[in-house]
Amino acid sequence: MNNPIGVFDSGVGGLTVVSEIMRQLPGENLVYFGDTARVPYGSKSKNTVLKYSKQIVRFLKTKNVKAIVIACNTASALALDEIAAQLDIPVIGVVKPGAKMAVETTKTGNVGVIGTESTIKSGIYNDYIRELNADITVVSKPCPLFVPLVEEGLLEDRVTDDIVGRYLRVMKEYKVDSLVLGCTHYPLISNAIERFMGKKVNLVNPAFETAKSLKELLTEKEMLNTDKGKPRYEYYVSDGVDKFISFADNVLPYHVTTTQIVDIESY
Amino acid sequence: MNNPIGVFDSGVGGLTVVSEIMRQLPGENLVYFGDTARVPYGSKSKNTVLKYSKQIVRFLKTKNVKAIVIACNTASALALDEIAAQLDIPVIGVVKPGAKMAVETTKTGNVGVIGTESTIKSGIYNDYIRELNADITVVSKPCPLFVPLVEEGLLEDRVTDDIVGRYLRVMKEYKVDSLVLGCTHYPLISNAIERFMGKKVNLVNPAFETAKSLKELLTEKEMLNTDKGKPRYEYYVSDGVDKFISFADNVLPYHVTTTQIVDIESY
């Protein structure tokens, strides 16, 4: 089945998930949409994130996608269930795979979750984790400055270290040993997070586990692409491509040459 | 003429302009729209900011506004000319009044301008300032972390001081004596900016000068409200009202009780 997999995100962060899908599923065609005009989603209400996500899904369907990956934690948290219920193709998000990995790796039973305000407010990581193991204590904390710090390029910087220390102090207090990086930008400052939390704390990057879940799902449903040709990758955005391309150069294994702008409000 | 004045912004920051209008024009009715769903505008392209601004203007026209104030620096920079050309009511932005005040207050002839990436990239402060006095040297610098720091409440904080020092070092190097705070959020960290720049540097808050220009304009065109009743203030947003109300409580002289959500994409 050589139809592409559709991947979407509020902006550029979802490319970290794309990168992992390319690695684990190198034969698949991909269509990516980044909502760079309306980014960020992390401070928006459920209604708005759901509305935007539905518009994007309508756009992706015009590309005949065989499955959809919601690469944005906030959209996964707020919109996945409703979208999945309306579609006849598989839809997976990053939250459930991330929650699963956290549960599998904790020894103390204290799991931390960091993400945007809307992701944390939704309580969805908490729900999934405790569905898998009701004995686990979940400590969650929104970290609204992390995305702007990453976008400003302060990956290794005393200011980032300072802010990391403030946001994550509570994780140390609760002796968390497994910490979910519940926003696609956060793995880019995993060095700073590890410096503060210590090497014994397992940092869960949901991108890896999401690509693994996707592979299992497509295998099980016999939907893998069996064509032997070089895969096709297409990139669409709702606004300016410069930032998109420079971020892509940081996270993807090759240079993105072509992106197209989509009037997403018309979908 | 008791029709309201329409004021709009990318989100909550424009309330600092509203506050100044209330002070200088206490008899006027106001309708405010904050695009809280699609905030921020500061990193978006001209096309997108223009499209969003036009939708908002169409919404404000349904409220029979007699004049429009673009309280957002980015929208003033990227959309004012096209909007003003299409309307038969007066439209004023915050950039021209801010530029004028900077020119009037500088003695060294070195003026600084700070703002969002899109405002600075537009070069419009530079154009206005040098139109008024071609001998002035304009030093401009985008400060993308200031808005997130303000929204996180870090108004008096070592991290904000640290970032202020990095962004504004160039202003000291050029011996700027008049610095335009070219984004509605920036006056909220004027203490930190003054600590770094020193008390001799004049910090220009365009909100004050914009309200003054508005008053002059309405007086000249005989459009002031002559009704003696209590003014009516209406607030509209495109997403979640909680943040809006808490920000309003910080900048307005009274508590906002009612806000309405508008589906702005449909305009």
Side-chain angles (χ1 to χ4, degrees):
Chain A
M1 197 171 187
N2 67 2
N3 294 30
I5 296 162
V7 184
F8 79 86
D9 179 53
S10 57
V12 296
L15 292 172
T16 59
V17 179
V18 166
S19 165
E20 201 53 54
I21 296 172
M22 288 174 176
R23 218 177 56 81
Q24 296 190 39
L25 287 162
E28 295 297 326
N29 299 313
L30 299 176
V31 173
Y32 182 86
F33 178 83
D35 198 358
T36 49
R38 302 183 295 192
V39 72
Y41 284 8
S43 50
K44 300 192 199 319
S45 70
K46 178 168 176 152
N47 273 348
T48 294
V49 171
L50 187 58
K51 180 176 153 188
Y52 291 178
S53 299
K54 283 180 176 175
Q55 288 172 332
I56 296 167
V57 165
R58 283 193 284 271
F59 164 72
L60 289 174
K61 287 206 79 176
T62 68
K63 301 292 168 189
N64 297 313
V65 294
K66 65 180 175 185
I68 288 178
V69 177
I70 306 183
C72 170
N73 278 268
T74 305
S76 298
L78 304 181
L80 184 135
D81 288 347
E82 281 201 47
I83 285 175
Q86 285 178 1
L87 295 178
D88 48 8
I89 54 171
V91 182
I92 75 168
V94 290
V95 172
K96 214 171 219 170
K100 184 164 164 273
M101 202 175 192
V103 170
E104 286 169 5
T105 52
T106 182
K107 282 167 192 154
T108 62
N110 297 322
V111 166
V113 177
I114 54 178
T116 64
E117 284 174 288
S118 298
T119 298
I120 298 304
K121 198 175 153 199
S122 77
I124 196 169
Y125 267 106
N126 196 44
D127 295 347
Y128 282 147
I129 289 170
R130 292 173 52 82
E131 212 171 87
L132 292 167
N133 183 341
D135 294 332
I136 286 176
T137 300
V138 182
V139 184
S140 56
K141 175 90 183 170
C143 303
L145 279 171
F146 282 178
V147 170
L149 288 167
V150 168
E151 300 214 327
E152 189 67 343
L154 304 184
L155 308 183
E156 298 290 342
D157 194 281
R158 63 174 182 263
V159 159
T160 302
D161 285 337
D162 190 333
I163 296 293
V164 163
R166 298 186 203 189
Y167 284 148
L168 301 188
R169 194 174 51 223
V170 64
M171 299 298 167
K172 271 194 176 168
E173 284 166 8
Y174 277 86
K175 299 192 191 340
V176 155
D177 71 342
S178 191
L179 178 65
V180 180
L181 308 181
C183 172
T184 51
H185 279 66
Y186 297 0
L188 281 86
I189 51 167
S190 57
N191 284 347
I193 293 171
E194 187 180 281
R195 262 195 298 278
F196 179 76
M197 294 298 296
K199 292 202 182 218
K200 287 187 184 162
V201 172
N202 181 47
L203 303 184
V204 176
N205 177 356
F208 175 83
E209 196 72 7
T210 300
K212 203 176 135 200
S213 296
L214 177 66
K215 188 176 179 178
E216 286 166 4
L217 183 87
L218 296 181
T219 307
E220 183 198 318
K221 292 192 183 280
E222 299 184 347
M223 287 171 73
L224 286 168
N225 186 12
T226 48
D227 283 5
K228 297 295 178 199
K230 212 179 156 203
R232 275 175 292 109
Y233 299 144
E234 291 176 29
Y235 302 91
Y236 298 86
V237 291
S238 47
D239 194 24
V241 301
D242 296 357
K243 247 192 181 172
F244 182 87
I245 288 176
S246 70
F247 193 92
D249 281 344
N250 279 330
V251 300
L252 295 185
Y254 71 97
H255 180 65
V256 173
T257 50
T258 321
T259 58
Q260 283 173 265
I261 293 186
V262 175
D263 179 15
I264 196 64
E265 291 183 6
S266 68
Y267 283 86
Chain B
M1 196 174 188
N2 67 1
N3 293 28
I5 296 161
V7 183
F8 79 87
D9 178 53
S10 58
V12 296
L15 291 172
T16 59
V17 179
V18 167
S19 165
E20 202 52 53
I21 295 172
M22 287 174 176
R23 218 177 58 79
Q24 297 190 38
L25 287 162
E28 296 297 325
N29 299 313
L30 299 176
V31 174
Y32 182 85
F33 178 83
D35 199 358
T36 49
R38 302 183 296 193
V39 71
Y41 284 7
S43 50
K44 300 192 200 315
S45 70
K46 176 167 178 154
N47 273 348
T48 295
V49 170
L50 187 58
K51 180 177 155 187
Y52 291 178
S53 301
K54 284 181 178 174
Q55 289 172 331
I56 296 167
V57 166
R58 283 194 284 270
F59 164 72
L60 289 174
K61 287 206 79 176
T62 68
K63 301 292 168 189
N64 297 314
V65 294
K66 64 181 175 186
I68 288 179
V69 177
I70 306 183
C72 171
N73 278 269
T74 305
S76 297
L78 305 181
L80 184 134
D81 289 346
E82 280 201 47
I83 285 174
Q86 286 178 0
L87 294 179
D88 49 8
I89 55 172
V91 183
I92 75 168
V94 290
V95 171
K96 213 171 218 170
K100 183 165 163 273
M101 201 174 191
V103 170
E104 286 169 5
T105 53
T106 182
K107 283 167 191 155
T108 62
N110 297 322
V111 166
V113 178
I114 54 177
T116 64
E117 285 174 286
S118 298
T119 298
I120 298 305
K121 199 176 152 197
S122 78
I124 195 168
Y125 267 107
N126 196 46
D127 295 347
Y128 282 147
I129 289 169
R130 292 174 52 81
E131 213 171 85
L132 292 166
N133 183 342
D135 294 331
I136 287 177
T137 300
V138 182
V139 184
S140 56
K141 175 89 183 170
C143 303
L145 279 171
F146 282 177
V147 171
L149 288 167
V150 167
E151 299 214 327
E152 189 66 343
L154 304 184
L155 308 183
E156 297 290 340
D157 193 281
R158 64 174 181 262
V159 159
T160 302
D161 285 337
D162 191 333
I163 297 294
V164 163
R166 298 184 203 191
Y167 284 148
L168 302 188
R169 194 175 51 222
V170 65
M171 299 298 167
K172 270 194 176 169
E173 284 165 9
Y174 277 86
K175 300 191 188 343
V176 155
D177 70 342
S178 191
L179 178 65
V180 181
L181 308 182
C183 171
T184 51
H185 279 64
Y186 296 1
L188 281 85
I189 52 168
S190 58
N191 283 348
I193 293 170
E194 186 180 281
R195 262 195 298 279
F196 179 77
M197 294 299 295
K199 292 202 182 217
K200 288 188 184 161
V201 172
N202 181 47
L203 303 184
V204 176
N205 177 357
F208 175 83
E209 197 72 7
T210 300
K212 201 175 135 200
S213 296
L214 177 66
K215 188 176 177 177
E216 287 167 3
L217 183 87
L218 296 181
T219 306
E220 184 196 320
K221 290 190 184 283
E222 298 184 349
M223 288 170 72
L224 286 167
N225 185 12
T226 49
D227 283 5
K228 297 294 177 200
K230 212 179 156 202
R232 275 175 292 110
Y233 299 143
E234 291 175 29
Y235 302 91
Y236 298 87
V237 291
S238 48
D239 194 23
V241 301
D242 297 357
K243 247 191 180 174
F244 182 87
I245 288 176
S246 71
F247 193 92
D249 282 342
N250 277 329
V251 300
L252 295 185
Y254 71 97
H255 180 65
V256 173
T257 49
T258 321
T259 57
Q260 283 172 264
I261 293 187
V262 175
D263 179 14
I264 196 64
E265 292 184 5
S266 68
Y267 283 87

